[in-house]
Amino acid sequence: MFLELLALALFLLPLLFLILKFSGNPETGNSKLPKSYPIIGSFPALYKNHANRLAWFTEILQNSPSATISIHHSFGQHSVITANPAVVQHILKTNFPTYQKGESSRQILQELLGDGIFNADGDNWKFQRQLSSHEFNTKSLRKFVEDVVDIELYDRLIPILSKSSSERTILDFQDILQRFAFDNICRIGFGYDPEYLLPSLPQAKFAVAFDDAVQISSERFGFLRPVWKIKRALGIGSESRISRVVSDVREFANTIVKQKKREMDEMKTQESHDLLSRFLSSGHSDEKFVTDIVISFTLAGRDTTSAALTWFFWLISNHPNVESEILKEIEEKSENGAGYDEAKEMVYTHAALCESMRLYPPVPIDSKEAVNDDVLPDGTKVKKGMAVSYHVYAMGRMEQIWGKDWAEFRPERWLERDVAADKWRFVAKDSFSYPVFQAGPRICLGKEMAFLQMKRVVVGVLKRFKVVPKKRENGLEPEFVAYLTAKMKGGFPVTVVERV
């Protein structure tokens, strides 16, 4: 701890006098643009509001006429944050070549993600995207996903919930859903069963290391980016652990790749449906390349769906009218579970999931780096090397997009009533107003797979159980925290009540 504080002091001492002279006392929740000072920029306000930055930036964006703001950082650095759909369309589609992951982001995530699709630009990204797109669009993969999710749901998740219900124990439902999603992505992605969702709820070295690596990597994106490099060079603080945990993650991923290669050599005549087998069968056998893909898919498949479902179950527990409508639809549409065709017909459940992710997006903010000077549609000037972030969390709270009732959890905003057919019809929002799954050329390939998985979980759980959150001591709603993906701080303790 002493060495970590020393590293911070080495970076901050030159600024200390100016901070004390100019900072004043910035107030948390101030909706005005943070005041900027010579040399230190808006560091005082950024520091003051760092712990509450999602809500703080949201309030500033809500009060910005263009829903876009420029932030002045120390030493003349600038960045742009937006909640404007026209700007999002510009950076994610219209002027896509100008806005890349960027060297700064790649450096931060290089140890964990390597050159995987979520940390790649240019020809490398294009190649992985084309390869992945082909595999994600096969009917055989869709059927394989259905089978894997059903096995995990009915052989593992439901029995654990049933046991908890009969014994009246408290479960951390966020942990349960993360375990469920981890088993699923490993089986779908790599044909490997880590058996993480067992009644004993075992600790898995890889899963623990992965959580740690994601948290440390995401902390590098903070308001004092140079500090992580100082800490890394000195081997102190969280940076002292990252080599070890990333080594554990990469060792696990590399072992999966080697095992899969051996299996395929021994079973040449048998077809494998998992994604890793498909990549290897197409001739892409470089171990580092494929290991990077394994880690990227784990990040995408494990944390996003579990985060979405965690907040979904919390929301419907507080909105019994929505839960009632979902149960009605389950009874009508899913007598034999929610297969792909049945899932498409579950429009109210689909709307409820979209509404939940509007308020609590699994990836609350995403950044790009400009490789050329540019001018955004609202007139904001962008210089080469600047970070431009679209704030998904704030966009779900913009009156200009969702109306005056944006704070309400209301699935009906996604629906229109077909009077003739006497049923709901889903009305999608354009992906630039609702970039929960990104948009443009980088739009999420696993979107349909994610909805299929989530709907099957919703049907399987709600058909048999009522999920009742444990009341929190302070009486407040759970805290939404953001790493590379979102989580519910402190977990999601619940009791499970079997329906009669």
Side-chain angles (χ1 to χ4, degrees):
M1 176 59 74
F2 172 75
L3 289 174
E4 187 169 6
L5 290 173
L6 177 61
L8 287 169
L10 288 172
F11 177 73
L12 295 175
L13 275 175
L15 307 179
L16 185 57
F17 173 76
L18 291 170
I19 292 170
L20 293 173
K21 181 176 176 62
F22 293 114
S23 65
N25 184 29
E27 295 294 328
T28 301
N30 186 355
S31 62
K32 296 179 181 178
L33 276 173
K35 192 171 182 179
S36 179
Y37 303 99
I39 304 178
I40 63 172
S42 296
F43 172 81
L46 293 169
Y47 178 80
K48 179 80 172 179
N49 294 286
H50 180 66
N52 191 42
R53 60 193 178 278
L54 277 178
W56 182 57
F57 278 126
T58 295
E59 188 174 358
I60 294 172
L61 288 164
Q62 286 172 330
N63 287 279
S64 166
S66 64
T68 301
I69 57 174
S70 294
I71 300 294
H72 299 254
H73 300 274
S74 302
F75 304 114
Q77 299 294 309
H78 297 79
S79 66
V80 172
I81 304 177
T82 188
N84 184 328
V87 174
V88 175
Q89 182 172 4
H90 180 81
I91 64 176
L92 296 187
K93 182 182 179 183
T94 310
N95 205 11
F96 174 77
T98 294
Y99 295 94
Q100 304 289 312
K101 295 297 291 184
E103 189 58 33
S104 176
S105 178
R106 282 200 300 274
Q107 282 184 10
I108 287 172
L109 298 174
Q110 184 66 36
E111 286 160 293
L112 176 60
L113 298 181
D115 297 315
I117 191 168
F118 299 124
N119 204 35
D121 281 324
D123 291 339
N124 183 23
W125 169 80
K126 190 179 295 184
F127 169 73
Q128 293 187 59
R129 176 77 183 193
Q130 289 172 344
L131 189 63
S132 303
S133 181
H134 172 73
E135 300 302 342
F136 269 88
N137 287 321
T138 59
K139 288 184 179 180
S140 58
L141 177 63
R142 191 169 66 201
K143 180 63 170 65
F144 181 59
V145 171
E146 290 183 13
D147 293 343
V148 168
V149 173
D150 275 355
I151 291 170
E152 190 73 14
L153 178 62
Y154 293 106
D155 290 357
R156 292 183 180 173
L157 178 59
I158 297 298
I160 285 174
L161 297 183
S162 183
K163 184 173 184 290
S164 177
S165 175
S166 63
E167 296 178 357
R168 298 181 180 179
T169 57
I170 295 175
L171 286 176
D172 179 355
F173 205 28
Q174 177 170 254
D175 177 58
I176 297 294
L177 291 169
Q178 285 178 325
R179 290 170 180 271
F180 176 86
F182 182 58
D183 279 0
N184 268 325
I185 191 58
C186 285
R187 294 170 77 169
I188 294 166
F190 327 126
Y192 168 79
D193 183 4
E195 297 184 320
Y196 197 36
L197 184 62
L198 295 179
S200 61
L201 301 180
Q203 287 294 309
K205 182 179 179 182
F206 170 77
V208 173
F210 194 85
D211 272 343
D212 213 6
V214 166
Q215 182 170 344
I216 295 169
S217 297
S218 67
E219 287 170 354
R220 291 175 169 180
F221 284 97
F223 62 97
L224 285 177
R225 293 193 183 187
V227 171
W228 79 263
K229 293 186 178 181
I230 298 173
K231 291 166 63 179
R232 185 79 177 95
L234 297 175
I236 59 176
S238 58
E239 291 294 328
S240 67
R241 305 195 314 273
I242 193 163
S243 292
R244 174 175 52 80
V245 295
V246 167
S247 176
D248 289 343
V249 169
R250 290 201 155 268
E251 181 183 352
F252 174 84
N254 193 247
T255 300
I256 287 178
V257 172
K258 289 179 177 177
Q259 287 179 352
K260 180 58 64 176
K261 283 183 174 180
R262 283 197 298 270
E263 286 176 17
M264 293 176 68
D265 287 340
E266 294 167 2
M267 304 165 62
K268 290 183 179 178
T269 59
Q270 294 191 21
E271 182 182 6
S272 296
H273 296 294
D274 62 87
L275 285 166
L276 179 55
S277 296
R278 293 165 185 263
F279 277 109
L280 293 172
S281 297
S282 62
H284 305 285
S285 58
D286 177 78
E287 284 190 5
K288 183 185 182 306
F289 170 76
V290 182
T291 297
D292 290 345
I293 289 175
V294 167
I295 295 171
S296 290
F297 281 174
T298 302
L299 177 65
R302 172 181 179 261
D303 289 349
T304 51
T305 53
S306 61
L309 285 168
T310 295
W311 289 98
F312 169 84
F313 279 107
W314 178 77
L315 279 165
I316 65 166
S317 71
N318 290 289
H319 294 82
N321 58 317
V322 173
E323 184 176 22
S324 178
E325 287 295 321
I326 293 172
L327 287 170
K328 188 188 302 182
E329 187 171 66
I330 289 173
E331 289 299 315
E332 293 173 355
K333 306 288 186 183
S334 61
E335 292 183 10
N336 300 309
Y340 182 75
D341 293 330
E342 292 86 353
K344 286 198 298 185
E345 294 296 316
M346 297 186 68
V347 294
Y348 192 90
T349 304
H350 192 91
L353 285 165
C354 288
E355 181 73 345
S356 173
M357 289 186 285
R358 173 181 73 84
L359 292 169
Y360 300 104
V363 181
I365 187 167
D366 190 34
S367 296
K368 308 297 178 188
E369 185 176 301
V371 298
N372 298 303
D373 291 354
D374 190 29
V375 179
L376 300 177
D378 61 8
T380 303
K381 292 181 179 179
V382 176
K383 295 294 184 182
K384 180 180 178 181
M386 280 177 58
V388 180
S389 304
Y390 60 101
H391 204 298
V392 186
Y393 181 88
M395 293 186 77
R397 290 159 167 74
M398 300 300 286
E399 184 177 325
Q400 303 95 305
I401 301 174
W402 304 102
K404 292 185 181 297
D405 66 346
W406 63 264
E408 294 180 25
F409 175 63
R410 194 171 65 82
E412 288 79 9
R413 76 174 75 247
W414 297 84
L415 301 167
E416 286 184 356
R417 194 71 185 173
D418 185 334
V419 178
D422 192 28
K423 63 180 183 180
W424 290 114
R425 182 170 66 86
F426 183 77
V427 181
K429 201 76 173 176
D430 72 89
S431 59
F432 307 109
S433 298
Y434 181 74
V436 167
F437 293 92
Q438 283 224 37
R442 281 188 183 261
I443 196 167
C444 177
L445 288 170
K447 177 180 177 180
E448 295 306 318
M449 184 190 299
F451 271 115
L452 175 62
Q453 178 177 327
M454 289 190 291
K455 286 180 183 177
R456 289 175 97 81
V457 172
V458 170
V459 170
V461 172
L462 289 187
K463 197 169 186 177
R464 288 193 57 179
F465 307 101
K466 182 175 182 62
V467 177
V468 183
K470 181 184 176 184
K471 288 187 178 180
R472 302 201 171 229
E473 291 181 6
N474 55 16
L476 301 175
E477 70 174 55
E479 185 178 344
F480 182 85
V481 292
Y483 299 117
L484 294 181
T485 52
K487 286 191 175 183
M488 185 180 285
K489 187 175 182 179
F492 183 29
V494 303
T495 54
V496 181
V497 180
E498 195 147 6
R499 298 187 190 276
V500 293

